[in-house]
Amino acid sequence: MRMFRSNLRKLRSRPATWVTFLLLVGLYALVLFSLLVSTRLLTDPAQALAARQPLTFPTAYETTLALIIGTGSMLAVAYGAAVAGAEWGWGTLKAAVARGESRSLLILAAFAAVAVYTWLGLLATYAVGVPMTALGAALVGIDISGLGDSDGLLRLPELFGRAGLALAMNAALGFAIATVTRSQVAGIIAAIGLYFAEGIAWIFAPDLIKWLPFTASGAVVEGGNPGGTSVGGLELGATLDTGTAVLVTIGWLVVSLAIAVLRTEQAEISG
């Protein structure tokens, strides 16, 4: 607990924590703005109604969370990589090991603090995003009377639990990559590269993609699509059902942390 509290205090003052949060809010605002504009530009009544539905409460509660996860996944990866890489680049891990601290506990405590701040960032962005969504919807004439819908509100704890797991896994992936490379910059670049590479993999491995980390974590939040989808005539593979996606995401989280711990245990960082 001592190391965990120390990491919490340390991350609270790091620029990466605040920059990541501000970027997440800014990106969400841009995505929301584009969706609101599209509802005004559509002239076909059926298309306009379909575009408005995700922004109509209580559905908008889930839409807001899905949009935050969609924009926040890559930021969580970068944040995890930034924190892990800084431990090596700034020599803080080396100094702690020299004091006789456990390497495994150090790395796990550091990640636990990262996970806490990703969850806090999710909650804070959602607290900003819901009023932002409601205001934007009202301005374009979308009914927001469902804001107080009890069923929609009661679903939020489960949705937040699944969203928190997805973001924690994304952060763990970046954390592990930066630990392996022992570099903040290399870790961020490699982690973001993996994020985009998985997106491209839809074209070449539509049946395999559902098992990969970012697709699996997306299915955790948005629910699976066992039948697959088609975009622009391109057949995309099916995604996992929610229960299976949760298990796969937990698996990627555990594997990422195991890699980070093993790399730290084997690295030459004493002295």
Side-chain angles (χ1 to χ4, degrees), residues 179-236:
T179 301
V180 170
T181 61
R182 300 180 64 168
S183 168
Q184 190 176 39
V185 175
I188 293 174
I189 292 174
I192 294 177
L194 181 63
Y195 178 87
F196 285 108
E198 184 173 319
I200 297 173
W202 275 111
I203 301 172
F204 307 103
D207 295 325
L208 175 64
I209 193 73
K210 62 184 177 183
W211 301 101
L212 297 182
F214 299 110
T215 305
S217 64
V220 167
V221 179
E222 300 175 15
N225 185 9
T229 56
S230 176
V231 178
L234 175 65
E235 292 295 327
L236 302 180

Side-chain angles (χ1 to χ4, degrees), residues 108-181:
L108 290 175
F111 174 74
V114 168
V116 167
Y117 277 105
T118 59
W119 296 333
L120 290 176
L122 171 65
L123 289 171
T125 306
Y126 194 78
V128 174
V130 168
M132 194 184 299
T133 302
L135 176 61
L139 289 175
V140 298
I142 298 175
D143 181 26
I144 60 171
S145 60
L147 266 170
D149 182 83
S150 58
D151 290 337
L153 293 171
L154 288 173
R155 279 179 49 80
L156 289 181
E158 178 194 351
L159 292 172
F160 269 107
R162 290 194 268 125
L165 172 62
L167 281 187
M169 188 280 291
N170 293 333
L173 198 62
F175 193 89
I177 293 173
T179 301
V180 170
T181 61

Side-chain angles (χ1 to χ4, degrees), residues 3-23:
M3 287 186 284
F4 173 61
R5 289 193 297 267
S6 174
N7 277 281
L8 284 178
R9 290 193 298 269
K10 183 169 59 178
L11 292 184
R12 183 176 58 197
S13 60
R14 281 195 180 174
T17 300
W18 296 100
V19 169
T20 302
F21 168 65
L22 293 175
L23 281 174

Side-chain angles (χ1 to χ4, degrees), residues 218-259:
V220 167
V221 179
E222 300 175 15
N225 185 9
T229 56
S230 176
V231 178
L234 175 65
E235 292 295 327
L236 302 180
T239 55
L240 300 172
D241 63 85
T242 303
T244 305
V246 167
L247 295 176
V248 172
T249 300
I250 291 174
W252 280 110
L253 174 63
V254 172
V255 168
S256 297
L257 291 181
I259 291 172

Side-chain angles (χ1 to χ4, degrees), residues 94-119:
K94 181 178 180 180
V97 169
R99 294 196 305 267
E101 304 281 8
S102 165
R103 297 184 182 203
S104 296
L105 289 179
L106 280 169
I107 209 71
L108 290 175
F111 174 74
V114 168
V116 167
Y117 277 105
T118 59
W119 296 333

